[in-house]
Structure formats: structure tokens, C-alpha cells
């Protein structure tokens, strides 16, 4: 067998500033997709829950389409295909943000709907019987209870979104993996570079994953 | 106003069909390895012996907490140098997604096994069965039925995740789409068709899963044979 | 008669799909009436109650509150008696008609006093301090002043139901509807709830009470309705319906529940 590889992290550590730029890009994309994904997801989730078919059906179509299409395909569609229809170019950030957000909205819509429907019907009935409007009942009584239940699933989704930001490298958006590619090709050290990238992601996400487990355990106990 | 023209897409349908085939190949291979590996990891994780439980736990956590694309890059670019092996995109993809999906399957297995009540364990042990027998004859058969829906959902997820192989130039559907788009200068039509192909295949698969879930729920998991 | 009925029901029908649950109910509810509604499961008694605050929309017939018919006549070709209901109007009706549920339906994410205050703040728009004061008074009235800061999970069934009653009372309802208020309670907790309902009755509150507690109905109600197959099978004073029922079906029902002392 050939000689063992000699690991050398120096080139990577010397270029931490390059990686830092990537980290900022990752964070930026993550926050945008988190906010848009969960925000729009709530709207769609409520739409899925609605009784009127003209709200309910488009919401369902949206969810089914964006859950059953790979995110990378959507990102590439927004980057390469959509500009044909529009008079302007789509930047890598916008393409990635659109792809990831719409996908996340579709998934979180189902989380919201599941959460809302898991709340006993008696709660909404009691609220309506007191003379609250449907909107007040949803806002004051049903959603607050539902959100607590949905927290584990939503945090999981958030972790998925964070991991998905790496897909933006496919359209050359400057995030962590993209910077890794850059460094690896400059220094010819893919092993150390990609190991460091992997470690960075792991260090960022592991605490969140553990927090989610703890959250699930606590909510499992509290929910009698 | 853009004038849609799908003719070039149909002209290159064979390239896309090849891509779809390769997508299914990669997904199938990853599943074939990932499922048994997932079972092994789950059993190791549940083992009372730290020597088995700890490494399994580490593998599961690492592969669930790092992005699949980073894993793919590592296996495709880094590993070949480390172990002096030629790496094709296909091999790297199958390797990555086998382990990655195994990590998620391990959690499905573990959840299913753990959900079988302690009483079943105790009754089997009281009869004098050894732990491997208990697992094989009593616990796993009950666990499997409950896990099937979660399983199939993970498999569908895998189908979506394997699109990443296009980035390392494996000729899956997405890669072929890019090729055809560049060849025909019609990215809008090509990418739209591909999106619809993915949607159709995956949607059909998930509808089958839902149908299966409903049938399993109707037959009741309390059914003893 | 110079007094107008507080609530008037004419020709009330309710269908669920093909299944006719209520087949034409006429009822006048006078101020200070305490009406006990009895009947077998599936007789339609809960549905009747739920139509009175429009938790269910009637399929036909008119409900009037204080002389004002709710909804608008919207006769169709096949359905001359049809009425259309505007959700905003129904919401306003529910602010005047209170309901207490069999399953309490307290809001678990709010304290007892929070539950009682909720409608005052959200529906009436009252300020925190004002609502709190009123809520505290209502809790005191049902004997739970010391439990104001407790969450429902910490309360017994009887306490939960009493908080639910306080919650309904806080809105100053003109009519109170009780949907089997004690059916979900352990036997030893039933008494505390019945005592509260009795005290409300003695104050002269107008109420309709769907219940299985025949003894209680006998002592508290001034009118009893026996519902069977979606219609009022027999009605009268408690003595008439419960002690000396004229209809054989009523008698059979009362006999089945004879474990209760009159």
C-alpha cells in the first residue's frame, strides 16, 4: 500500500478570511430562506386549512408541486429558465433564495396545517361560542397552542434549510461550500478543505440538532 | 413575449431518458446499500455495548448534521487521494448516498424498534429466547410494519437528493437537462420539462406511498399472526 | 301576554347530509325560564342546543333573539324556507348567548383568570385592568377566586367546568346554554358544578340545559322538554313530564333513569 497521506491544514487556516466571506453568504441566504419559507408557509398552511376550495385547491397544488420537485432543479430553473421570460437577469442569490424558500414554504405549510388540525376542535368551538370571529379564534386560541406543538418539526425544517444553502454553490453563489471549492482548486488540497467545511457545518448544526431533541423530549412530556 | 418551442426538447428526448434511467440507477443503488446499512447502524446504536453504539451514533450524527453536497464533494474529491483509488462520479454518488440515507434509515429503524413495547421483549425473554432471537422473531416483525411509511418517505427524499450528482458531472436527469439546454439554447423549455418529469415521478411515488399507508392503517398494526 | 319571548324558535330543522336530526321544533323561551332538555342519545337534543347559538346552522326554520329574526330569508326553488346566515351576525349573536360545553374546552395556554378575561379583551375590547377585575369577580362567584392564577392542567374536572361557566358569564349573556355540563365529570365532582348552575337559576338567569341529571332537572327547571326522534315528544312542568308523564315513551325514558331521587 502507498504511503499514508500527510494532512496539512495550514493552507486552509491561512485562508480563513476567504471562508469567512462564505460563511456570511451562507448566513445571509439562510436567514432570507428561513423568513420567507416560514412566513409564506404559514399563509399557505392556513390556505390548506381553509374550507373554501378557491383558496384550498391552489394551496394544495403549490404544496404538492414544491414538495415533490428537487430543490436543485428549482434553483436551476430560476437561474437559467426564468430569465428567458423576464426582461432582467436573476442573480445567484435570488435564484437560490427562490428555490429554497418555495420548497421550505411547501414543507412548512404542511407542518402548520398538521399543527392546527391537531388542536382539538372544542378549542375553536369554545372561542366561537364566546363570540370571537374565526380570525380571532385562530390568532388567540388555536395558533398559539399549535405553534408549541410544531416547534420540533419547524426546527428540523430550519436545519434542513441551513444544509440546503450549499446547493447555491451550483449557481456560484458565494457561500461556504463555494469558497471551499475555490480554496481546494487553488491549493490542491480538497481533503483538508472539504474536511474543514464539513466540520464547520457540523459544529454549527450539532448544537441545534441536540436542542431539537431536547425540545422534542420536553414537549413529549408536557403534552398529556 | 417569449415564444415557447418544445420541439428541440422532444428531439433530445433520448438524452433525457438516459438521464432519468441514471437517476433511477443511482437512487436504486443507494437504497439497496443504504437500507441494510441503516439496519446495521440502528442495531449497533441500540446495542448495550459502547464499542458498537458509540461509533454508530457518531456516523449517524455526522451524516445527518452535514450537508449532503459537502459529503459528496468529500467522497468525490478528497477520498480518492486519501485511499489512492480512482473515483468515478457514480461510485462517489452511490457511496455518499448509501451512507447518508443509511444514517436517516437508522433513525427510522430505531424509532420502529423502540416503539414496540417492553412487554413484548419481556414476554419473549421469559420464554427463554436469546436477544437476537427476540429481535428477529418478535420485535422486528412488529417494528417493520410501523416503519414502512416513514421508510418510503425517506426513499422518496433520496430520489430528490440524488440530483446533487449532476454537480459532479454524473449523467443523471438534471445533468442531461443542462447538456440539452446548452445544446439547444432553450433552457426554459428543457428545464420546465425536466421539472415536470421529476414532479410526475416523485408525485406518483408519494401517492403510492399514501395509498399503502392507508391500507396499512386499515389493516391495523395490532394484528398478530 | 305582554312579555315577549327572549328567544323564539319556529319550525327548526337540521339535516346532516341525508340524516334528519331535527324535524321541526317550535319553542318559546321566556325570560328567567330554566328549560331542561332530556332525551336519549341521538335524539337531537344537543343539536337543538347548538342551533340556538348557531354552532350548527339550521337547515330550515327561524330563530329569533329578543324579537329579531337571525339571518335572512333566501328562498330557493326546492327550498322555500331556506335562510342565509352572515357569519358576522352569528358572531354577534354568540356574544349574547353563552355556552358551556361537556368537555369544558378551556384554553390550556391561559390561566383560569386568563380564560375568563379572554373574551372581554378580544371581543369586547376591554382594557386589561377592567377585564381582570370582572374576571376575578366571576371566578369568585363560582367559588374559585383562589385558583385565578392556575392553569387548567392543574384543575380538577369540576373546577375546570366552573371556570368555563365563569368564562361564559363574563360576557353577560342573555341566555345560557349548557350542553351536558356534568356528563364528563367523575361522580363526586358533579355536585359542585350543579350547585353553581342552581345558584344561577335562583338568580333568575334564562338557561337551557341538556342533561342526564334528571333529579337536578326536576328541582331546578321550570320547564322540561323530552326530545325523541328530532321533535319535542312531550313538554311541561317537571311534575308533568318527570313525575306523571303522559306519553309512554317519556315514561320509559324516566323509568330507565329512575336511580335518581326526586
Amino acid at each position: 500500500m502507498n504511503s499514508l497521506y500527510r494532512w496539512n491544514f495550514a493552507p486552509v487556516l491561512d485562508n480563513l478570511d476567504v471562508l469567512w466571506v462564505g460563511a456570511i453568504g451562507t448566513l445571509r441566504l439562510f436567514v432570507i430562506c428561513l423568513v420567507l419559507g416560514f412566513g409564506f408557509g404559514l399563509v399557505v398552511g392556513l390556505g390548506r386549512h381553509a374550507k373554501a376550495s378557491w383558496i384550498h385547491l391552489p394551496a394544495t397544488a403549490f404544496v404538492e408541486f414544491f414538495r415533490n420537485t428537487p430543490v436543485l432543479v428549482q434553483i436551476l430553473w430560476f437561474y437559467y429558465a426564468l430569465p428567458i421570460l423576464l426582461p432582467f437577469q436573476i442573480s445567484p442569490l435570488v435564484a437560490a433564495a427562490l428555490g429554497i424558500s418555495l420548497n421550505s414554504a411547501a414543507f412548512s405549510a404542511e407542518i402548520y396545517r398538521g399543527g392546527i388540525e391537531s388542536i382539538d376542535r372544542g378549542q375553536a368551538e369554545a372561542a366561537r361560542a364566546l363570540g370571537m370571529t374565526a380570525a380571532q379564534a385562530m390568532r388567540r386560541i388555536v395558533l398559539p397552542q399549535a405553534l408549541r406543538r410544531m416547534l420540533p418539526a419547524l426546527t428540523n425544517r430550519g436545519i434542513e434549510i441551513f444544509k440546503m444553502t450549499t446547493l447555491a454553490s451550483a449557481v456560484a453563489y458565494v457561500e461556504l461550500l463555494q469558497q471551499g471549492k475555490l480554496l481546494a482548486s487553488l491549493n490542491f488540497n480538497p481533503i483538508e478543505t472539504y474536511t474543514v467545511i464539513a466540520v464547520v457545518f457540523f459544529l454549527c448544526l450539532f448544537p441545534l440538532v441536540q436542542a431539537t431533541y431536547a425540545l422534542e423530549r420536553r414537549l413529549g412530556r408536557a403534552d398529556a | 413575449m417569449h415564444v415557447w418551442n418544445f420541439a428541440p426538447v422532444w428531439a433530445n428526448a433520448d438524452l433525457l431518458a438516459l438521464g432519468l434511467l441514471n437517476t433511477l440507477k443511482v437512487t436504486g443503488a443507494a437504497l439497496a446499500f443504504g437500507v441494510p446499512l441503516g439496519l446495521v447502524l440502528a442495531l449497533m446504536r441500540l446495542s448495550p455495548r459502547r464499542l458498537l453504539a458509540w461509533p454508530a451514533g457518531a456516523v449517524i450524527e455526522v451524516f445527518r448534521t452535514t450537508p449532503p453536497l459537502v459529503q459528496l464533494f468529500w467522497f468525490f474529491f478528497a477520498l480518492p487521494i486519501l485511499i489512492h483509488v480512482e473515483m468515478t462520479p457514480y461510485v462517489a454518488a452511490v457511496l455518499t448516498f448509501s451512507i447518508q440515507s443509511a444514517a436517516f434509515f437508522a433513525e427510522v429503524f430505531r424509532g420502529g424498534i423502540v416503539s414496540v413495547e417492553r412487554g413484548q421483549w419481556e414476554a419473549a425473554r421469559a420464554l427463554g429466547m436469546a436477544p437476537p432471537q427476540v429481535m428477529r422473531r418478535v420485535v422486528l416483525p412488529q417494528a417493520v410494519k410501523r416503519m414502512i411509511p416513514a421508510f418510503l418517505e425517506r426513499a422518496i427524499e433520496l430520489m430528490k437528493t440524488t440530483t446533487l450528482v449532476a454537480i459532479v458531472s454524473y449523467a443523471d436527469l438534471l445533468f442531461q437537462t443542462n447538456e440539452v439546454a446548452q445544446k439547444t439554447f432553450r433552457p426554459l423549455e428543457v428545464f420546465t420539462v425536466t421539472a415536470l418529469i421529476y414532479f410526475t415521478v416523485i408525485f406518483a411515488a408519494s401517492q403510492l406511498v399514501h395509498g399503502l399507508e392507508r391500507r396499512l392503517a386499515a389493516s391495523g398494526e395490532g394484528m398478530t399472526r | 301576554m305582554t312579555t315577549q319571548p327572549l328567544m323564539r324558535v319556529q319550525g327548526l330543522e337540521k339535516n346532516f347530509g341525508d340524516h334528519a336530526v331535527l324535524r321541526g321544533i317550535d319553542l318559546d323561551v321566556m325570560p328567567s325560564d330554566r328549560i331542561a332538555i332530556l332525551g336519549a342519545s341521538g335524539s337531537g337534543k344537543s343539536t337543538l342546543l347548538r342551533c340556538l347559538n348557531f354552532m350548527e346552522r339550521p337547515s330550515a326554520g327561524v330563530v329569533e333573539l329578543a324579537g329579531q329574526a337571525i339571518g335572512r330569508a333566501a328562498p330557493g326553488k326546492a327550498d322555500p324556507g331556506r335562510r342565509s346566515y352572515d357569519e358576522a351576525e352569528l358572531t354577534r349573536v354568540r356574544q349574547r348567548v353563552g355556552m358551556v360545553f361537556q368537555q369544558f374546552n378551556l384554553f390550556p395556554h391561559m390561566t383560569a383568570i386568563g380564560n375568563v378575561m379572554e373574551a372581554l379583551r378580544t371581543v369586547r375590547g376591554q382594557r386589561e385592568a377592567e377585564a381582570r377585575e370582572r374576571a376575578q369577580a366571576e371566578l369568585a362567584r363560582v367559588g374559585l377566586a383562589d385558583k385565578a392564577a392556575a392553569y387548567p392542567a392543574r384543575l380538577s374536572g369540576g373546577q375546570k367546568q366552573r371556570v368555563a361557566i365563569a368564562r361564559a358569564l363574563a360576557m353577560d349573556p342573555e341566555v345560557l346554554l349548557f350542553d351536558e355540563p356534568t356528563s364528563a365529570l367523575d361522580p363526586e365532582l358533579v355536585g359542585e358544578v350543579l350547585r353553581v348552575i342552581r345558584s344561577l337559576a335562583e338568580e333568575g338567569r334564562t338557561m337551557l340545559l341538556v342533561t342526564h341529571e334528571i333529579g337536578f332537572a326536576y328541582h331546578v327547571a321550570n320547564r322540561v322538554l323530552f326530545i325523541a326522534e328530532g321533535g319535542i315528544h312531550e313538554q311541561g312542568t317537571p311534575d308533568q313530564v318527570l313525575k306523571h308523564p303522559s306519553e309512554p315513551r317519556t315514561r320509559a325514558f324516566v323509568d330507565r333513569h329512575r336511580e335518581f331521587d326526586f
Side-chain angles (χ1 to χ4, degrees):
Chain A
M1 179 147 148
N2 295 339
S3 60
L4 275 174
Y5 180 79
R6 299 228 324 261
W7 295 70
N8 176 17
F9 285 95
V12 183
L13 297 175
D14 285 340
N15 287 295
L16 278 181
D17 53 333
V18 174
L19 290 181
W20 180 246
V21 171
I24 301 288
T26 296
L27 212 55
R28 181 154 45 118
L29 182 59
F30 171 65
V31 170
I32 293 175
C33 297
L34 194 69
V35 169
L36 287 182
F38 282 177
F40 191 51
L42 179 57
V43 173
V44 177
L46 288 171
R48 281 277 270 143
H49 178 70
K51 278 196 285 253
S53 7
W54 65 270
I55 307 178
H56 173 92
L57 288 175
T60 305
F62 175 85
V63 169
E64 288 303 325
F65 184 74
F66 282 99
R67 282 201 330 163
N68 290 307
T69 348
V71 182
L72 190 53
V73 174
Q74 292 164 18
I75 294 178
L76 294 181
W77 192 91
F78 283 115
Y79 191 64
Y80 290 117
L82 185 59
I84 310 277
L85 290 173
L86 299 174
F88 50 84
Q89 281 292 79
I90 304 256
S91 75
L93 174 60
V94 172
L98 276 172
I100 299 175
S101 301
L102 289 174
N103 179 279
S104 309
F107 275 99
S108 59
E110 282 303 278
I111 297 173
Y112 287 121
R113 187 173 72 93
I116 290 173
E117 290 180 2
S118 78
I119 301 296
D120 193 68
R121 285 193 64 217
Q123 290 294 303
E125 287 201 343
R128 305 287 269 120
L130 284 168
M132 287 197 223
T133 63
Q136 287 171 327
M138 179 61 73
R139 204 171 24 98
R140 300 279 307 170
I141 306 301
V142 177
L143 268 183
Q145 296 183 56
L147 272 152
R148 198 168 299 170
R149 292 203 189 161
M150 302 186 298
L151 224 38
L154 286 177
T155 8
N156 268 318
R157 207 15 62 185
I159 291 169
E160 284 302 306
I161 295 177
F162 196 84
K163 290 194 277 180
M164 276 195 266
T165 56
T166 49
L167 297 179
S169 64
V171 293
Y173 172 67
V174 175
E175 46 77 59
L176 201 49
L177 183 58
Q178 179 66 7
Q179 296 298 79
K181 279 158 62 180
L182 189 65
L183 281 184
S185 64
L186 284 177
N187 297 318
F188 302 102
N189 59 348
I191 300 178
E192 289 85 348
T193 311
Y194 292 127
T195 304
V196 168
I197 304 276
V199 167
V200 170
F201 272 104
F202 185 78
L203 289 177
C204 290
L205 288 176
F206 189 69
L208 285 173
V209 171
Q210 293 304 102
T212 310
Y213 288 159
L215 196 62
E216 280 172 353
R217 272 196 306 270
R218 237 193 350 155
L219 286 175
R221 273 206 303 272
D223 239 15
Chain B
M1 255 321 288
H2 175 80
V3 177
W4 293 70
N5 179 12
F6 286 93
V9 184
W10 309 141
N12 287 288
D14 55 335
L15 286 174
L16 293 181
L18 176 64
L20 181 57
L21 203 62
N22 284 333
T23 292
L24 294 173
K25 231 171 65 163
V26 162
T27 310
L31 268 178
F33 289 112
V35 171
L37 184 57
L39 180 56
V40 169
L41 281 174
L43 293 174
M44 284 174 70
R45 186 86 174 75
L46 287 169
S47 158
R49 269 183 271 167
R50 295 260 309 268
L51 199 61
L52 291 176
W54 210 87
V59 169
I60 294 173
E61 282 311 319
V62 167
F63 277 88
R64 275 168 36 120
T65 318
T66 44
L69 191 53
V70 176
Q71 297 163 13
L72 182 60
F73 275 21
W74 200 91
F75 277 101
F76 186 61
F77 293 114
L79 188 62
I81 303 179
L82 208 51
I83 60 175
H84 307 286
V85 174
E86 273 293 322
M87 189 68 79
T88 67
Y90 180 70
V91 173
V94 173
L95 198 53
T96 311
F97 295 125
S98 298
I99 306 179
Q100 195 250 2
S101 62
F104 282 95
F105 283 130
E107 287 302 283
V108 177
F109 275 120
R110 200 162 73 94
I113 291 172
V114 164
S115 78
V116 178
E117 351 167 323
R118 272 220 72 75
Q120 295 292 306
W121 270 100
E122 296 188 341
R125 298 288 266 124
L127 284 169
M129 289 169 99
Q133 289 176 315
V134 176
M135 185 61 77
R136 204 165 29 93
R137 302 283 306 166
V138 175
V139 177
L140 270 181
Q142 294 185 55
V144 164
K145 202 156 180 229
R146 294 176 201 194
M147 297 185 305
I148 290 180
F151 234 148
L152 292 170
E153 279 168 26
R154 280 269 113 225
I156 293 176
E157 269 308 308
L158 185 58
M159 211 185 308
K160 288 185 265 174
T161 313
T162 51
T163 46
L164 269 54
V165 306
I167 299 181
V168 294
S169 305
Y170 177 66
D172 78 327
L173 181 54
L174 189 56
F175 182 81
Q176 295 294 78
T177 304
N178 210 16
E179 296 288 290
V180 174
Q182 288 176 10
K183 186 175 155 197
T184 61
F185 299 101
R186 295 230 151 245
L188 178 59
E189 288 82 348
V190 183
F191 272 103
T192 305
V193 167
T194 295
L196 290 173
I197 295 177
Y198 272 112
F199 173 70
T200 311
V201 172
I202 295 173
F203 183 67
S206 74
Q207 288 303 99
L208 279 171
V209 172
H210 286 157
L212 192 62
E213 271 179 29
R214 269 197 301 269
R215 265 212 306 180
L216 280 176
S219 75
E221 3 166 32
M223 202 170 70
T224 44
R225 247 178 300 138
Chain C
M1 256 202 306
T2 44
T3 14
Q4 211 189 24
L6 201 39
M7 209 171 215
R8 163 166 273 178
V9 176
Q10 284 176 315
L12 184 65
E13 290 174 28
K14 177 66 188 171
N15 307 316
F16 290 103
D18 288 335
H19 181 49
V21 176
L22 295 177
R23 299 163 195 259
I25 305 256
D26 296 321
L27 181 64
D28 279 352
V29 180
M30 308 304 288
S32 290
D33 262 352
R34 291 98 53 205
I35 304 179
I37 304 177
L38 308 174
S41 319
S43 54
K45 54 192 199 301
S46 271
T47 309
L48 169 58
L49 205 72
R50 289 165 66 86
C51 282
L52 296 182
N53 71 342
F54 296 92
M55 299 300 287
E56 309 286 352
R57 291 188 186 196
S59 307
V62 189
V63 177
E64 282 178 25
L65 184 58
Q68 196 186 16
I70 309 298
R72 251 174 326 114
K77 253 199 317 236
D79 199 356
R82 195 163 63 100
R83 296 182 75 76
S84 79
Y85 293 99
D86 170 41
E87 197 55 43
E89 186 186 14
L90 297 184
T91 302
R92 284 194 300 276
V93 168
R94 295 180 194 126
Q95 294 169 19
R96 298 164 63 189
V97 177
M99 178 171 260
V100 174
F101 297 84
Q102 180 177 349
Q103 298 296 340
F104 335 130
N105 291 339
L106 287 186
F107 307 136
H109 57 308
M110 300 176 182
T111 58
I113 196 164
N115 264 269
V116 181
M117 279 166 62
E118 178 59 21
L120 292 175
R121 301 202 61 203
T122 308
V123 176
R124 287 269 168 83
Q126 281 183 12
R127 268 200 302 258
E128 156 99 25
E130 207 184 328
R132 185 172 288 277
E133 206 183 313
R134 176 65 196 274
Q136 192 69 44
E138 292 301 341
L139 281 175
R141 181 215 288 279
V142 301
L144 288 172
D146 55 329
K147 296 284 185 192
Y151 280 90
R154 294 247 174 274
L155 300 174
S156 73
Q159 291 170 330
K160 285 199 264 234
Q161 193 61 299
R162 285 190 278 153
V163 173
I165 294 175
R167 183 176 65 176
L169 287 176
M171 291 293 282
D172 290 316
E174 292 161 47
V175 180
L176 263 176
L177 306 174
F178 291 91
D179 191 356
E180 300 203 35
T182 57
S183 295
L185 293 175
D186 289 336
E188 65 264 22
L189 301 174
V190 167
E192 62 192 70
V193 175
L194 293 183
R195 267 193 294 280
V196 169
I197 300 179
R198 183 177 205 147
S199 74
L200 295 176
E202 281 162 10
E203 283 173 21
R205 294 212 174 236
T206 315
M207 58 176 72
L208 288 96
L209 190 67
V210 170
T211 185
H212 288 302
E213 301 282 337
I214 298 200
F216 180 72
Y218 180 79
H219 288 296
V220 167
N222 68 332
R223 291 170 62 187
V224 175
L225 302 179
F226 177 67
I227 308 282
E229 283 177 4
I232 299 181
H233 200 64
E234 187 168 351
Q235 63 175 308
T237 66
D239 260 326
Q240 288 169 338
V241 179
L242 298 175
K243 268 226 163 122
H244 310 289
S246 40
E247 297 287 331
R249 198 155 173 176
T250 320
R251 186 172 309 130
F253 179 84
V254 174
D255 282 344
R256 269 204 305 278
H257 291 73
R258 199 160 262 303
E259 60 203 84
F260 298 99
D261 255 334
F262 287 167

